Amino acid sequence: MTGRRRWIPVALLALLVFAAGCAKPVAMVNGRPIDRKTFEEAMKESSKSSAEGEDTADRQKAEGAVLNELITRMLMLDEAGKRGITVTDDEVNREIEGIRKSMGDAAFAETLKEKGITTDGFRKQTREKMLMSRFTEGLLGNESVADEAVRRYYSESPRPFFRPVKVLMNMIEFDSEEAAAAAMREIREKKVDFDDLALRAGNENRAHASGYGWANPDLFSPGLSAAIRNLRPGQSGGPYKGRQKFYLVKVKDREKEAVASFDEVKDSIKNTLLEEKRQMAFAHWLAWKRKDSQITVNLR
């Protein structure tokens, strides 16, 4: 009869809901599932996700790589929990704020949108990454790299270690290009001293003055880095666009690239050797853990 509603029996509806909620997981790891939704989200986020026109073999290879990453993540997080490794909410907040600040608010929001990640989802990912990082760091302590090994690495390196270009400078940070340009006109046309203007603008809350001291230009955004490299000692310039703000820069002195002494690079070398040893330790742990675990894969 036209216009008459067709009702799905309650029992059948319950069965359909139950079946939808019980979709076969893509993998089981020690009795715990990796559900298909999690897998599909990871595929979307990963650079390994399939591109248009990708053949079946490449798709299957990408799926296998992403699933292996999910299995490894689950094993690591389980082990971190067993070892009592934790991350506080404040630590997660600081980590996210650092990421947001380095990217800029607009780029940060756009990245989450492109990857289809919610704010809560990103917070969960950040916490898990921090837990996994602490687990890996805990596999070997700093004392596992002896000073003798560091010195030998320095002396036997086929290429010398170089100390990068360093620039002694001051910077003034503005929210807008217009405000930065107006301040630069004061310096050039009215012959206002750069440091005096920085102090006054900071006191008036028009800008933020940063006495960076000695810094490597490569630490800044590409445009700002190039500008700093081109300014001679005593010169000031700007406005230059950074990742979020606009800057005026005054270079006071600079040091050219030079061969670095052992004392200048020993900490960097030690970190390199420690990271290599941790990667090896992690590879051994993961191979043992996978062998000791019950893992089943159900991609198809």
Side-chain angles (χ1 to χ4, degrees):
M1 182 182 298
T2 58
R4 184 177 180 179
R5 292 186 179 181
R6 299 180 60 186
W7 297 95
I8 300 175
V10 174
L12 178 58
L13 180 60
L15 181 62
L16 291 173
V17 172
F18 176 79
C22 295
K24 193 174 184 180
V26 294
M28 295 291 294
V29 181
N30 294 327
R32 295 178 57 197
I34 297 177
D35 59 68
R36 188 160 292 278
K37 180 182 178 182
T38 299
F39 171 72
E40 293 297 343
E41 288 175 350
M43 282 293 294
K44 183 179 179 181
E45 292 175 35
S46 173
S47 59
K48 303 179 182 66
S49 58
S50 63
E52 189 174 347
E54 185 179 50
D55 61 32
T56 303
D58 287 340
R59 169 73 184 185
Q60 291 178 349
K61 184 177 179 181
E63 288 178 341
V66 168
L67 185 55
N68 273 329
E69 290 175 3
L70 291 174
I71 290 171
T72 298
R73 184 174 74 183
M74 182 174 283
L75 293 173
M76 292 176 71
L77 291 172
D78 284 348
E79 189 67 22
K82 291 176 182 177
R83 299 189 182 198
I85 299 172
T86 59
V87 176
T88 67
D89 290 342
D90 285 345
E91 289 171 329
V92 174
N93 291 339
R94 286 195 295 271
E95 182 72 12
I96 292 175
E97 186 57 31
I99 295 170
R100 188 195 302 273
K101 187 174 181 180
S102 66
M103 295 178 65
D105 290 340
F108 179 78
E110 185 62 27
T111 299
L112 294 191
K113 182 179 178 181
E114 287 177 358
K115 293 182 177 291
I117 308 173
T118 64
T119 302
D120 288 342
F122 185 72
R123 179 176 297 278
K124 180 175 180 290
Q125 287 184 5
T126 302
R127 183 184 297 277
E128 289 180 347
K129 287 178 181 178
M130 293 176 72
L131 285 168
M132 290 187 291
S133 177
R134 290 186 180 183
F135 162 69
T136 305
E137 290 171 0
L139 291 173
L140 286 174
N142 293 340
E143 69 282 354
S144 61
V145 177
D147 291 342
E148 181 182 348
V150 177
R151 189 172 292 279
R152 184 166 61 250
Y153 188 93
Y154 175 82
S155 61
E156 295 179 0
S157 174
R159 290 181 291 181
F161 293 89
F162 284 95
R163 182 179 64 243
V165 171
K166 291 196 303 182
V167 178
L168 180 62
M169 62 183 186
N170 276 1
M171 300 178 71
I172 314 174
E173 175 187 293
F174 294 86
D175 290 332
S176 70
E177 186 174 11
E178 292 76 12
M184 195 70 229
R185 285 195 296 272
E186 285 190 64
I187 293 172
R188 288 177 175 167
E189 297 174 7
K190 299 182 180 179
K191 307 301 180 183
V192 175
D193 181 76
F194 187 96
D195 294 339
D196 289 344
L197 186 142
L199 181 62
R200 177 159 49 86
N203 290 336
E204 295 171 355
N205 293 321
R206 290 193 289 133
H208 176 70
S210 304
Y212 266 89
W214 290 99
N216 180 351
D218 292 339
L219 296 176
F220 303 95
S221 62
L224 187 53
S225 173
I228 294 170
R229 287 179 176 276
N230 290 330
L231 289 173
R232 297 189 301 273
Q235 279 190 320
S236 59
Y240 305 116
K241 190 177 188 312
R243 292 184 176 89
Q244 298 183 66
K245 308 286 187 175
F246 294 86
Y247 297 87
L248 303 185
V249 178
K250 180 177 181 180
V251 170
K252 297 188 173 184
D253 199 359
R254 66 172 59 245
E255 290 184 359
K256 297 180 179 179
E257 182 181 70
V259 174
S261 68
F262 172 73
D263 286 339
E264 289 175 315
V265 295
K266 64 181 180 181
D267 290 340
S268 176
I269 293 174
K270 184 170 185 176
N271 289 336
T272 297
L273 296 178
L274 183 58
E275 182 61 25
E276 290 177 356
K277 294 190 73 170
R278 280 176 175 161
Q279 289 179 3
M280 291 178 61
F282 174 73
H284 287 304
W285 173 85
L286 183 59
W288 166 81
K289 190 66 178 179
R290 290 186 72 111
K291 185 177 180 181
D292 192 54
S293 300
Q294 291 184 348
I295 301 172
T296 56
V297 174
N298 311 299
L299 266 176
R300 299 287 176 267

